[in-house]
Amino acid sequence: MKTNYTDYANTFKAIAEPTRLQIIDMLSCGELCACVIHEKFDITQPTLSHHMKILCDSGIVIPRKDGKWTHYSLNEQRLNEIRDFMNMLTVTEKACICNE
């Protein structure tokens, strides 16, 4: 199976921002309402929505609507894929790009 480097590059762009890294860290403790996340930062609600859209579009975060509120959680499957990809990048294997 061919590795989609572009997909992973876009994922790393999504997390290459301090606020988004902090949001991921917060979500590592469990699902949180957007209002709880917003309280942590000195940003506007539209700015938080922008950050959450990027994280959701990357597949790292999963939104769940509950009435007028949105709750967010980490997508463990996607995080495992990212860990596997990083491992693949840093380990010598037959499947390495240098062996193609």
Side-chain angles (χ1 to χ4, degrees):
M1 180 168 81
K2 189 106 171 128
T3 301
N4 187 340
Y5 290 94
T6 301
D7 181 46
Y8 285 104
N10 289 332
T11 298
F12 292 129
K13 285 180 190 177
I15 62 174
E17 200 283 329
T19 300
R20 292 193 286 267
L21 284 173
Q22 290 176 40
I23 291 168
I24 292 168
D25 193 8
M26 289 176 70
L27 293 174
S28 70
C29 297
E31 182 181 75
L32 293 173
C33 178
C35 59
V36 173
I37 298 169
H38 186 252
E39 290 173 0
K40 170 75 173 163
F41 302 100
D42 186 28
I43 57 176
T44 65
Q45 188 279 326
T47 300
L48 176 63
S49 292
H50 173 73
H51 286 306
M52 299 314 297
K53 179 176 178 7
I54 291 171
L55 290 171
C56 290
D57 288 350
S58 73
I60 295 170
V61 171
I62 300 170
R64 180 181 64 80
K65 291 293 265 182
D66 183 18
K68 67 178 186 170
W69 302 105
T70 303
H71 299 264
Y72 296 96
S73 60
L74 292 178
N75 181 347
E76 293 298 330
Q77 179 180 347
R78 181 65 176 149
L79 292 173
N80 287 333
E81 290 171 3
I82 295 165
R83 286 183 194 104
D84 291 346
F85 175 74
M86 288 301 299
N87 188 49
M88 185 270 310
L89 280 180
T90 58
V91 178
T92 304
E93 294 181 356
K94 289 182 183 180
C96 182
I97 194 171
C98 59
N99 293 323
E100 291 180 353

